[in-house]
Amino acid sequence: MHSFYDLVIFENLNEHDSEHNLEHALPYSKPKIYDAKGDLSKRWYLYFSYLDPETGKLKRCKNIYGKTNKYHTKEARYSILSTYRRQLLKLLKEGYSPFEDNSQRVNKDKKAIEMAEPTPTIEVENEPTEVKKIETSKKRPDGITKTTHSEKTIKEAFDFALDLKESVVGFSTHRDYKNRAYQFMAWLEEYMPEIDYASQLDKSAINGFLNDLQLNASARNRNNHRTNLSALLQVMEDNDIIAHNYIKNIKPLKSIPKRNKTYSLELQEEIFTHLEEADPILLLFIKFISFNLLRPIEVCRLKVGDLNLKEKTITFKAKNSPLKTKIIPQILLDDLPDLSNIKSDHFLFTPDKIGGPWEATENNRRDYFTKRFLKVVKKPFNLEKNYTMYGFRHTFITKLYKALIKTSTPFAAKSQLMLITGHSTMTALDKYLRSIDAELPEDYSNLLDMD
């Protein structure tokens, strides 16, 4: 009998897949491309499983190679296998089975079978000259090579954008970009396998992914994915890989931000007293957050050489600047151990001592101290979720503002506070103080007196 696989390789392509709806569970798995992790020395193929009529279970079917491995570029192989995958999915949706005789189908489409093999829409080595040339390189008089990009697959487009972003964003930001991009690609693979190329992306596909996140996670998670994907799609638009960044037309959802609670004076003092005995290293870590008003991730970045004890300053990578310098208040200097014999490139905080090497990423270092705080402080004090180490920064900024406002006007107090906190504008500081409820009115009972 004629092979089912002939239909996959030779069937004349129809751009519009059948809308046939199956009443029962699909008797097949979605076809996937095996690309040997980009290794062109290995065989690439298309694979899938189909319900075996004898066992009633999904059975891995014969790999589909076609003429894939005669091509010698990744673009060519992805192109031909994507063609096979669209055709295979079309046949499966129409009810065709690799376990049945497809002679009638083959005879009906004999003309299609005799047609030439579908040709990748890119230039490849050792292929006929009729192949449409889409990617070219031209040498300009100044020696700079000008490249015209070919149509890229979804993965190639995102990898291209990620490569460009790597040099302009931090490690953790790039990691977030990559994680969310690959999550989006996995969603497309499962729910919209007909989308192979970046140029096929549209607003409905992106909205579908974001709506799924909103239903299964949260509005905040959805907004974070939207922001990161938009940054990558903008790179694609800027480089003519896609015509338009559709995410710019998708509005973010209103979400309630996480609030790190401020500690009361009594609770803060109890925690510090507890840590003097229970965990002096964690106490000093928290004092850098409290007295120097650093964020936990900024404390994790500190190395011994970042502290200039002679000039009483500290230099670190802040949230919104590559390098920032602050004074070290005397109250913190008094608690520092002798650092003179520790290498300047050693981290200030490690799991078991002050000053030493630590082979871990900054995010893993932060997660370590977060879990340590949970074990040593939150559980013994039975603190709720919103009490975090970051909350000590809120606590001491509130304490500073209340002390400053006693002897000066609000504007003068905030002007001095800006120098301490590192906020770049008065507007930013005002917004921050409101968010942590640092500004509270005097008792207004007299205004409510009904007599």
Side-chain angles (χ1 to χ4, degrees):
M1 70 179 183
H2 287 285
S3 170
F4 167 83
Y5 306 97
D6 290 340
L7 299 177
V8 177
I9 297 173
F10 296 110
E11 175 82 6
N12 190 23
L13 291 176
N14 185 340
E15 294 300 326
H16 302 286
D17 284 348
S18 169
E19 296 298 328
H20 175 68
N21 293 317
L22 300 178
E23 296 178 356
H24 305 290
L26 295 176
Y28 56 85
S29 65
K30 289 184 172 61
K32 295 184 177 181
I33 291 174
Y34 174 74
D35 62 2
K37 296 183 178 180
D39 188 346
L40 293 170
S41 67
K42 296 182 179 179
R43 301 184 75 191
W44 293 25
Y45 53 83
L46 188 67
Y47 66 96
F48 73 107
S49 298
Y50 200 93
L51 193 67
D52 189 329
E54 294 184 0
T55 64
K57 297 180 179 180
L58 287 177
K59 179 180 179 180
R60 174 76 175 263
C61 297
K62 186 176 72 172
N63 297 334
I64 298 175
Y65 299 95
K67 293 186 178 181
T68 303
N69 298 296
K70 292 184 178 181
Y71 296 97
H72 305 294
T73 66
K74 294 179 183 179
E75 292 85 354
R77 291 193 182 183
Y78 279 125
S79 177
I80 196 72
L81 284 172
S82 296
T83 297
Y84 292 158
R85 183 170 64 175
R86 286 197 300 272
Q87 180 58 23
L88 174 57
L89 190 61
K90 173 178 178 288
L91 291 170
L92 293 173
K93 286 183 177 180
E94 291 176 352
Y96 290 92
S97 166
F99 293 100
E100 296 177 359
D101 186 343
N102 297 280
S103 299
Q104 292 182 351
R105 176 71 173 178
V106 173
N107 291 333
K108 179 180 178 181
D109 295 334
K110 184 177 180 181
K111 183 178 179 180
I113 295 177
E114 294 171 351
M115 293 178 64
E117 180 76 359
T119 305
T121 56
I122 53 172
E123 183 184 27
V124 292
E125 298 177 2
N126 303 322
E127 292 300 320
T129 57
E130 291 80 13
V131 177
K132 182 179 179 182
K133 187 174 182 180
I134 295 182
E135 185 164 357
T136 60
S137 293
K138 298 181 180 179
K139 203 77 170 181
R140 296 188 341 196
D142 57 8
I144 298 175
T145 300
K146 179 181 179 181
T147 301
T148 302
H149 292 286
S150 64
E151 187 171 13
K152 295 184 181 293
T153 64
I154 295 290
K155 185 176 186 302
E156 289 171 338
F158 273 109
D159 285 345
F160 174 83
L162 286 166
D163 286 344
L164 290 184
K165 278 291 185 183
E166 190 170 13
S167 62
V168 296
V169 298
F171 172 81
S172 59
T173 299
H174 186 267
R175 182 194 59 185
D176 288 343
Y177 282 162
K178 185 174 182 179
N179 288 343
R180 287 175 171 140
Y182 276 67
Q183 188 175 342
F184 177 49
M185 286 189 280
W187 185 90
L188 287 175
E189 179 78 18
E190 181 173 358
Y191 295 102
M192 292 187 170
E194 68 277 9
I195 296 180
D196 295 311
Y197 294 97
S199 60
Q200 294 175 278
L201 285 175
D202 56 19
K203 186 176 179 181
S204 63
I206 298 167
N207 245 337
F209 172 67
L210 295 178
N211 289 341
D212 200 25
L213 283 174
Q214 183 182 347
L215 291 172
N216 295 288
S218 66
R220 182 181 181 186
N221 189 30
R222 180 253 193 205
N223 288 343
N224 289 339
H225 276 79
R226 174 193 169 277
T227 300
N228 287 2
L229 290 176
S230 182
L232 296 177
L233 262 64
Q234 191 58 50
V235 173
M236 297 180 201
E237 180 185 329
D238 294 343
N239 288 274
D240 299 323
I241 297 172
I242 60 175
H244 184 63
N245 178 5
Y246 293 100
I247 297 184
K248 290 191 292 188
N249 297 327
I250 300 175
K251 295 180 180 180
L253 298 178
K254 184 177 180 180
S255 62
I256 301 174
K258 176 184 175 182
R259 166 71 184 272
N260 298 284
K261 292 191 71 170
T262 301
Y263 293 86
S264 67
L265 177 61
E266 181 181 2
L267 179 57
Q268 174 258 307
E269 290 178 346
E270 288 180 4
I271 291 173
F272 277 28
T273 301
H274 165 71
L275 288 175
E276 286 176 359
E277 293 292 333
D279 196 334
I281 292 177
L282 182 59
L283 175 58
L284 186 59
F285 187 98
I286 291 173
K287 284 184 176 181
F288 269 85
I289 299 171
S290 304
F291 300 154
N292 241 133
L293 307 179
L294 302 183
R295 298 171 178 85
I297 190 70
E298 294 167 351
V299 180
C300 290
R301 292 173 184 149
L302 291 178
K303 293 186 176 181
V304 173
D306 295 331
L307 280 68
N308 186 334
L309 300 182
K310 184 177 180 180
E311 297 184 7
K312 299 181 180 181
T313 60
I314 185 171
T315 304
F316 61 97
K317 182 181 180 300
K319 181 180 179 181
N320 297 317
S321 63
L323 210 60
K324 197 173 189 67
T325 300
K326 284 187 173 184
I327 68 162
I328 305 175
Q330 190 63 46
I331 190 174
L332 183 56
L333 284 170
D334 293 341
D335 285 334
L336 288 178
D338 182 12
L339 303 174
S340 59
N341 295 321
I342 302 176
K343 293 182 179 180
S344 62
D345 62 345
H346 280 180
F347 287 106
L348 183 62
F349 288 96
T350 72
D352 55 3
K353 63 181 179 179
I354 300 298
W358 190 0
E359 294 295 330
T361 66
E362 65 182 33
N363 281 290
N364 287 340
R365 295 195 297 272
R366 178 184 59 184
D367 290 344
Y368 169 80
F369 277 104
T370 298
K371 292 175 181 176
R372 187 159 167 169
F373 179 74
L374 172 65
K375 179 181 178 181
V376 181
V377 176
K378 292 187 72 171
K379 287 185 177 179
F381 283 84
N382 195 28
L383 299 178
E384 60 183 75
K385 182 179 180 180
N386 287 350
Y387 279 107
T388 65
M389 287 193 293
Y390 197 96
F392 287 104
R393 186 172 187 267
H394 299 338
T395 301
F396 280 82
I397 288 178
T398 300
K399 184 182 290 190
L400 282 169
Y401 180 68
K402 289 181 176 179
L404 290 169
I405 201 71
K406 289 180 179 178
T407 57
S408 59
T409 65
F411 182 81
K414 291 174 185 177
S415 296
Q416 187 173 352
L417 188 60
M418 276 182 63
L419 296 174
I420 300 172
T421 64
H423 285 89
S424 57
T425 65
M426 186 69 76
T427 301
L429 179 60
D430 276 333
K431 184 177 179 181
Y432 175 77
L433 292 175
R434 286 195 300 271
S435 72
I436 65 173
D437 296 328
E439 291 186 288
L440 295 176
E442 298 286 340
D443 183 15
Y444 49 88
S445 298
N446 62 310
L447 300 177
L448 301 174
D449 191 351
M450 303 300 292
D451 296 333

